[in-house]
Amino acid sequence: MKKIKTCVIDDEPLAAELIAGYIRRTAFLELEGVYSSAQEAVRSIMKGKVDLVFLDIQMPMLGGLEFARLMPKGVRVVFVTAYSEFALDSFKVGAIDYLLKPVSYEEFVGSATRAASLLCPVEAEEDDGPSDTDSDYLIVKSEYKLHQIRKSDIVYVEGLKDYVKIWLDGGSRSITTLLNMRSLEKSLPAEKFMRVHRSFIVNLDKIETIERNRIIFDGTAVPVSESYRDSFQNWVTSRMTRALRGDEVEE
């Protein structure tokens, strides 16, 4: 794997040096610089010298959230902060992860690995381990907590740029996590879940109504795109045929 050019921006010297030390210890990262403000880092980032930024949120003059919105497309951000209340805002600006201080090396490496899977996707795919489709549960990180989700409770999954929203039984109940659609699809049993759109995976057992090229879940419509339409229609036809024959549908 090629080295990912990385920098740290934090106005707290001890916090900045901790993350810088982690970068030096991580084989696939290369430390480009340590900066005490966004203004100091602008030149390196705008000149394309940086791929990944570990960025504090609360800084004088120009805060981390504002600076993230100004970064060139392709530069990835991991927020490192003492404040948990900005987690949702960090997802809105496309952050890879949101780490709460003090950050452990294990947490740091998890975020760096996710960054590598986005910045070096082909190499990351080669490193993918076996997917755990046999387990009845998923364990996902949302904000700064780990959630154990029963797969049978998933209604559908919605892809939103660099993260996904997992919609669960109960209508408005959902969990947002920094997984990608491909890896999540591999973790779900193919006989129960189907990709019906670039941005949607559905639980086939939860389907209530099919209307034209849409699937209805408790009043919410999920589109079936043209590229996935044939496979979904084959599933519908198979279910209808079995129902007409009186065969039992496996639960």
Side-chain angles (χ1 to χ4, degrees):
M1 178 183 290
K2 70 174 184 179
K3 290 203 172 187
I4 297 169
K5 294 177 289 184
T6 310
C7 77
V8 182
I9 307 175
D10 197 322
D11 62 336
E12 298 179 23
L14 291 177
E17 188 51 42
L18 176 68
I19 299 299
Y22 289 165
I23 293 171
R24 296 185 186 101
R25 289 171 56 187
T26 306
F28 59 87
L29 299 180
E30 178 181 336
L31 182 62
E32 187 281 330
V34 181
Y35 305 98
S36 61
S37 70
Q39 291 88 332
E40 287 184 9
V42 165
R43 181 172 296 180
S44 293
I45 291 173
M46 295 305 176
K47 284 187 174 182
K49 295 182 178 180
V50 175
D51 304 310
L52 174 63
V53 181
F54 285 85
L55 178 62
D56 189 16
I57 286 182
Q58 294 282 55
M59 295 187 295
M61 296 183 67
L62 183 61
L65 290 169
E66 292 79 7
F67 187 50
R69 295 187 181 98
L70 302 175
M71 286 188 193
K73 186 177 180 181
V75 177
R76 299 291 181 171
V77 174
V78 173
F79 284 113
V80 183
T81 179
Y83 303 94
S84 62
E85 62 265 29
F86 297 107
L88 183 57
D89 290 329
S90 75
F91 287 133
K92 290 180 180 178
V93 297
I96 290 174
D97 209 346
Y98 186 93
L99 300 177
L100 284 177
K101 298 176 181 179
V103 179
S104 70
Y105 184 62
E106 182 180 3
E107 292 172 320
F108 171 86
V109 168
S111 295
T113 302
R114 278 189 285 278
S117 71
L118 294 169
L119 291 164
C120 312
V122 174
E123 296 176 27
E125 285 179 15
E126 293 174 353
D127 293 337
D128 279 350
S131 57
D132 191 10
T133 56
D134 293 334
S135 172
D136 292 331
Y137 294 89
L138 287 174
I139 297 178
V140 300
K141 183 177 181 181
S142 181
E143 296 183 1
Y144 58 98
K145 301 176 183 177
L146 290 175
H147 298 265
Q148 180 171 260
I149 302 172
R150 188 187 298 272
K151 293 178 182 178
S152 60
D153 288 342
I154 298 173
V155 179
Y156 65 93
V157 178
E158 181 180 5
L160 300 167
K161 199 178 178 182
D162 295 332
Y163 56 95
V164 299
K165 183 172 286 190
I166 302 172
W167 291 91
L168 304 171
D169 277 332
S172 61
R173 185 169 163 238
S174 66
I175 292 175
T176 300
T177 183
L178 285 159
L179 291 172
N180 60 59
M181 292 289 279
R182 182 186 60 80
S183 62
L184 185 55
E185 186 178 12
K186 287 178 63 178
S187 299
L188 296 170
E191 70 275 11
K192 296 288 186 181
F193 291 85
M194 181 179 289
R195 187 94 171 251
V196 296
H197 188 280
R198 181 179 179 182
S199 301
F200 290 96
I201 299 168
V202 301
N203 184 339
L204 297 169
D205 290 339
K206 301 291 186 181
I207 294 176
E208 298 176 359
T209 306
I210 301 170
E211 178 184 282
R212 297 179 184 175
N213 295 319
R214 304 187 306 169
I215 302 167
I216 310 300
F217 296 102
D218 194 24
T220 299
V222 170
V224 180
S225 68
E226 186 174 350
S227 55
Y228 296 95
R229 198 167 296 156
D230 288 346
S231 57
F232 180 67
Q233 187 58 51
N234 289 339
W235 175 82
V236 172
T237 301
S238 174
R239 278 289 177 104
M240 290 177 64
T241 301
R242 292 167 64 187
L244 288 170
R245 290 203 312 249
D247 293 351
E248 288 187 4
V249 177
E250 292 183 4
E251 295 296 329

